[in-house]
Amino acid sequence: MPTNIGLQLVEADVNLIKNYLRANIPSALAQVAAVHPTYPVVSVEPPHDYFIYTHAKAYRAPAVFIIPERMDMKKRERGQNHINGETRINVTVVIEDKDAERIYLKAYRYQAALMGLLDQVDLTTDDGKVKIVVVIENAQFSPLYTDAGDPKDPR
């Protein structure tokens, strides 16, 4: 029987990130909001929902999606009791607002909170069997989708 059955791989990585965000993002968002206390007034409430799959249809924004993309097992760097693997995980926050400027500002503030929380953080499972170091490589912004009464919107 193979000895690697039962390894904690991507599932442990995703759960570590999800649990860490759930516990720490409210205070990180509060710190980011404190940097911009007066103008413009933008709410950055903690996420309502966390998902580990892409096709969630019923969610309340803000919602966090933690989606693994790939895992590189780095077989040459494998030790006797560990795997030095690299997992690419996309962490996305879906936000909503009726005002175009506020939605951009929310995106910037969530990005600042996520960057502050996740970049270079060490996370370990309670049993100590899985340890990950999160490294943020880039941030991408999706197009703005709005149907609100933004006076600058030509529609």
Side-chain angles (χ1 to χ4, degrees):
M1 181 174 215
T3 59
N4 57 359
I5 292 177
L7 290 176
Q8 298 181 55
L9 298 173
V10 174
E11 183 177 358
D13 298 352
V14 169
N15 285 332
L16 282 168
I17 292 169
K18 181 174 72 171
N19 294 338
Y20 182 74
L21 285 177
R22 196 173 285 204
N24 294 289
I25 202 164
S27 62
L29 289 168
Q31 289 174 0
V32 170
V35 173
H36 308 283
T38 55
Y39 176 81
V41 176
V42 176
S43 67
V44 283
E45 65 275 6
H48 296 288
D49 296 313
Y50 293 80
F51 297 96
I52 60 170
Y53 55 94
T54 57
H55 298 315
K57 296 197 185 324
Y59 61 84
R60 293 180 305 150
V64 175
F65 289 78
I66 304 162
I67 310 298
E69 185 177 312
R70 67 175 172 77
M71 182 173 214
D72 178 0
M73 297 306 290
K74 297 189 175 187
K75 293 280 190 176
R76 293 183 184 161
E77 297 177 33
R78 186 173 180 161
Q80 289 185 11
N81 63 353
H82 73 280
I83 296 172
N84 187 15
E86 181 179 297
T87 307
R88 179 176 296 270
I89 297 176
N90 296 311
V91 178
T92 302
V93 178
V94 176
I95 53 175
E96 295 176 350
D97 201 296
K98 292 186 176 190
D99 179 78
E101 181 179 13
R102 279 197 316 258
I103 202 164
Y104 277 106
L105 293 172
K106 279 185 181 186
Y108 302 154
R109 293 175 188 184
Y110 272 95
Q111 178 197 20
L114 288 171
M115 181 73 177
L117 281 176
L118 291 176
D119 195 38
Q120 303 298 321
V121 69
D122 292 332
L123 302 174
T124 306
T125 56
D126 291 338
D127 63 7
K129 290 184 176 181
V130 177
K131 176 186 177 196
I132 66 172
V133 177
V134 179
V135 177
I136 296 179
E137 291 182 354
N138 64 54
Q140 293 178 281
F141 296 92
S142 64
L144 176 66
Y145 295 102
T146 181
D147 61 0
D150 182 353
K152 297 175 188 169
D153 188 348
R155 290 183 276 155

